[in-house]
């Protein structure tokens, strides 16, 4: 059974299909499938069997967040130009959040923008990254600092692909599900606390997370308000990813440690009780997510917080939980207040 | 006296001001002025005197179409990150069409898009390139192949800057004015034929060209229909620019030679009379524009035509004059038909 959820955006709407891939995925123009070496080895054949297009090309990137850079974008564009793709062509992002972000960006700037389709293969991409049209790459200044909003033409969420995920990758996706529950839905959080996410309970969690994500995106396509709440844990998490050269942690793992930091700040500011903080920590631990990042240098960590896209006029904007199920954006904190939180993650 | 023309786009409108710069150009966030070495030397002081912002930074690029590449974009972004620009910041494109295209692109992908303002200093940029939100860079495959649509926040057209243009640069801008007349406005063409464009007649030509450009952009923001007519001369012209490494000809000069080629094709297909062809040639010559490009290799010129963004399903789309004042898009030509035109620009 395939379920369909429509994301009604300002300029055009697009469907998210949850379930098996259609037997025929038809395209009018040429198609360029972009994937990574890992996904290609396991699932590419399955995908290519469904694609019906005049021409279909494949571009395989290396696997990992450290390849989410301008060089990968240039490889995709080069392939597209060599095969003479045009404005009627479609790019397909087949992989996790990294592939989705890179391909969305490449499709957004190729000949001033062509269509792309998301076929996410990781839990993280299925519940979060593939929906909402955020595309980006990293650079030496930080994470996702270059990019654009470019909505996909369609998203195909097929839980079948999750069967080959490693335990770490699955946990990484669960971190984003927990994020949405803490920000928007206390009942969902309570329910998650009682589940061992697998089989039908995982499918239910996916569906609920997608519905939350869709609601948020439709309300605030360009992240000027409520959508910022999806950045809970990310302000700190992005710095952790940058400091570890995007190599040591999966994105969801960094977000997990980032949520722990955000919670600490929220407790210090009186938005979250210690008991709630503990409950969030417990659910992260139960899903085998890392919860403690040791900050090597407080000053350098603090400086890196300034390159977050949510900031305004040199003020860091934090998104904090306001009890469980609500959020509060928080700017105008003094350096001392922020340092007080960072200190707790520093051995010195 | 400053005149104001509003460009009503789908998501937001923006004003074009024609006349002197305001004494105070105020901005809420930080400002990054991007210009080239030539314009900086002559006019930067004048501009900086008007800018009122908390912080103002300057990034100076090399002058010339050959610098319209990803490296220049990266220089701008690097400056922006180093000075911690954020989503409230504004970039100002201060220069000709090259600067405008690069800055628009950089602003469009910096943190998924920030505001930018166009202050064009060349005739070509004032009548054409600065209006309509097309941004792009070149790469080894061709011209303007990477980019996006990103509308400026405002455009300031100050004819004062034209005083320091070289004769070639002025002619290059006139080529685009002639383009608009041939495509859309026979009366304007007749009028242009009788003018020596300078002083008040140049100002009138600027105003009429801006009005045409604005009409076209409002009707077809994303170039799916009528806006393609602004590409008259460009299908051939882009190949000329690419073949001469963007160094030998100014953009308008390449467009002039490209219009001559398009006219030849139009005559051969019966859309334009030989007399009309001659009249267009005469007006280009009168304005000291080059009219003959000698094609080094017909086959390679032909192949390069395939990388034009207007193409669809491997068919080259030409925009041809249909008499003077009207246009006709033309696909489905055979290779033989195209080669017949190219032959006339080949000595062999």
């Amino acid at each position: 059974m395939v379920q369909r959820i429509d994301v009604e955006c300002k300029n055009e709407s697009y469907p998210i299909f949850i379930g098996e891939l259609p037997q025929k995925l038809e395209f009018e123009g040429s198609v360029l499938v972009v994937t990574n070496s890992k996904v290609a080895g396991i699932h590419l054949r399955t995908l290519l069997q469904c694609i019906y297009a005049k021409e279909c090309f494949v571009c395989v990137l290396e696997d990992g967040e450290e390849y989410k850079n301008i060089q990968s974008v240039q490889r995709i564009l080069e392939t597209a130009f060599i095969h003479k793709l045009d404005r009627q062509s479609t790019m397909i992002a087949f992989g996790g959040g990294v592939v989705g972000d890179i391909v969305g960006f490449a499709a957004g700037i190729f000949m001033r923008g062509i269509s792309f389709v998301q076929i996410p293969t990781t839990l993280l991409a299925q519940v979060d990254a593939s929906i909402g049209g955020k595309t980006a790459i990293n650079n030496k200044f930080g994470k996702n600092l270059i990019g654009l909003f470019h909505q996909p033409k369609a998203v195909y969420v097929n839980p079948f692909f999750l069967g080959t995920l490693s335990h770490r990758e699955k946990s990484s996706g669960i971190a984003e599900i927990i994020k949405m529950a803490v920000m928007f839905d206390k009942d969902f959080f309570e329910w998650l606390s009682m589940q061992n996410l697998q089989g039908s309970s995982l499918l239910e969690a996916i569906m609920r997370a997608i519905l939350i994500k869709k609601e948020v995106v439709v309300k605030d396509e360009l992240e000027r308000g409520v959508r910022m709440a999806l950045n809970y844990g990310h302000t700190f998490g992005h710095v952790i990813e940058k400091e570890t050269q995007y190599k040591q942690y999966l994105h969801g793992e960094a977000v997990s440690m980032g949520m722990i930091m955000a919670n600490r700040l929220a407790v210090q500011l009186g938005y979250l009780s210690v008991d709630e903080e503990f409950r969030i920590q417990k659910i992260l631990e139960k899903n085998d997510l890392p919860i403690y990042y040791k900050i090597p240098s407080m000053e350098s960590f603090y400086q890196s917080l300034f390159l977050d896209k949510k900031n305004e006029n040199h003020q860091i904007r934090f998104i904090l939980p306001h009890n469980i199920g609500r959020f509060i954006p928080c700017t105008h904190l003094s350096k001392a207040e922020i340092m007080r939180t960072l200190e707790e993650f520093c051995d010195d």
Side-chain angles (χ1 to χ4, degrees), chain A:
Chain A
M1 238 281 286
V2 175
Q3 304 224 36
R4 177 183 170 138
I5 295 171
D6 283 291
V7 185
E8 298 95 12
C9 284
K10 220 166 160 184
N11 291 328
E12 44 193 334
S13 299
Y14 57 92
I16 306 169
F17 298 102
I18 300 149
E20 279 181 31
L21 281 183
Q23 292 195 323
K24 271 192 174 191
L25 262 174
E26 288 182 278
F27 297 92
E28 281 191 25
S30 305
V31 168
L32 175 61
V33 177
V34 183
T35 185
N36 67 41
S37 48
K38 197 160 128 195
V39 173
I42 313 176
H43 297 300
L44 187 56
R45 225 181 54 168
T46 311
L47 177 66
L48 293 179
Q49 281 169 347
C50 314
I51 293 178
Y52 284 74
K54 216 174 43 184
E55 293 176 310
C56 181
F57 306 102
V58 176
C59 175
V60 179
L61 305 174
E62 294 310 307
D63 178 36
E65 183 83 35
E66 69 262 43
Y67 296 100
K68 191 169 147 181
N69 53 29
I70 190 73
Q71 284 74 35
S72 295
V73 172
Q74 288 190 305
R75 268 189 64 186
I76 297 171
L77 294 175
E78 183 118 4
T79 309
F81 285 120
I82 286 170
H83 294 298
K84 296 184 180 166
L85 263 67
D86 59 29
R87 285 179 168 171
Q88 280 65 47
S89 306
T90 302
M91 292 191 192
I92 297 181
F94 186 53
V98 170
V99 168
D101 277 13
I102 302 175
V103 177
F105 184 57
I109 62 173
F110 179 79
M111 297 198 172
R112 297 202 185 98
I114 62 167
S115 293
F116 83 111
V117 166
Q118 292 270 20
I119 308 187
T121 57
T122 65
L123 181 58
L124 186 141
Q126 292 193 347
V127 296
D128 193 6
S130 68
I131 303 157
K134 272 196 183 179
T135 79
I137 52 171
N138 310 324
N139 66 6
K140 67 176 174 188
F141 294 96
K143 169 122 177 160
N144 293 343
L145 291 180
I146 304 290
L148 44 83
F149 287 93
H150 186 48
Q151 300 292 342
K153 196 104 191 140
V155 183
Y156 293 89
V157 171
N158 185 356
F160 163 79
F161 293 125
L162 305 181
T164 55
L165 285 188
S166 70
H167 186 68
R168 273 183 75 193
E169 284 171 311
K170 187 182 149 194
S171 294
S172 179
I174 291 174
E176 299 284 12
I177 296 177
I178 293 168
K179 168 194 82 177
M180 297 195 218
V182 174
M183 288 289 101
F184 297 109
D185 193 336
K186 190 169 174 8
D187 290 344
F188 187 27
F189 182 85
E190 303 296 350
W191 179 85
L192 280 173
S193 306
M194 291 177 307
Q195 302 298 320
N196 243 323
L197 290 175
Q198 52 195 6
S200 66
S201 70
L202 181 59
L203 200 62
E204 182 170 344
I206 291 174
M207 188 61 93
R208 286 176 84 159
I210 290 177
L211 282 168
I212 291 174
K213 175 82 191 231
K214 175 234 158 167
E215 283 290 313
V216 172
V217 167
V218 168
K219 268 190 203 139
D220 177 20
E221 198 176 324
L222 300 179
E223 192 174 275
R224 284 169 186 162
V226 60
R227 187 166 177 175
M228 285 187 199
L230 294 171
N231 285 298
Y232 165 47
H234 286 62
T235 314
F236 294 105
H238 285 170
V239 178
I240 296 172
E241 288 183 275
K242 186 190 149 202
E243 288 199 342
T244 53
Q245 280 87 50
Y246 306 105
K247 283 181 187 164
Q248 197 170 339
Y249 298 108
L250 296 177
H251 176 60
E253 292 173 338
V255 168
S256 171
M257 295 181 288
M259 288 192 277
I260 293 286
M261 288 182 178
N263 291 353
R264 200 83 278 271
L265 184 56
V267 169
Q268 285 176 355
L269 296 170
Y271 296 127
L272 193 71
S273 73
V274 173
D275 176 58
E276 290 167 319
E277 180 188 31
F278 180 66
R279 294 193 60 208
I280 301 173
Q281 180 179 322
K282 239 177 64 186
I283 194 174
L284 293 170
E285 284 181 315
K286 184 178 149 195
N287 286 288
D288 298 322
L289 284 157
I291 54 161
Y292 184 77
Y293 175 71
K294 182 170 168 279
I295 297 177
S297 151
M298 273 171 57
E299 184 59 30
S300 127
F301 195 101
Y302 176 76
Q303 288 303 330
S304 290
L305 288 169
F306 280 99
L307 276 164
D308 190 83
K309 293 188 298 305
K310 297 184 301 303
N311 296 347
E312 206 165 302
N313 298 321
H314 298 210
Q315 289 278 333
I316 306 166
R317 174 178 280 146
F318 296 97
I319 306 294
L320 304 178
H322 194 184
N323 303 121
I324 288 171
R326 277 196 302 161
F327 69 93
I328 182 160
C330 210
T331 38
H332 301 286
L333 295 184
S334 69
K335 182 169 178 180
E337 282 172 302
I338 297 167
M339 284 305 209
R340 192 158 57 117
T341 295
L342 297 189
E343 260 167 27
E344 304 205 20
F345 298 88
C346 199
D347 278 356
D348 311 336

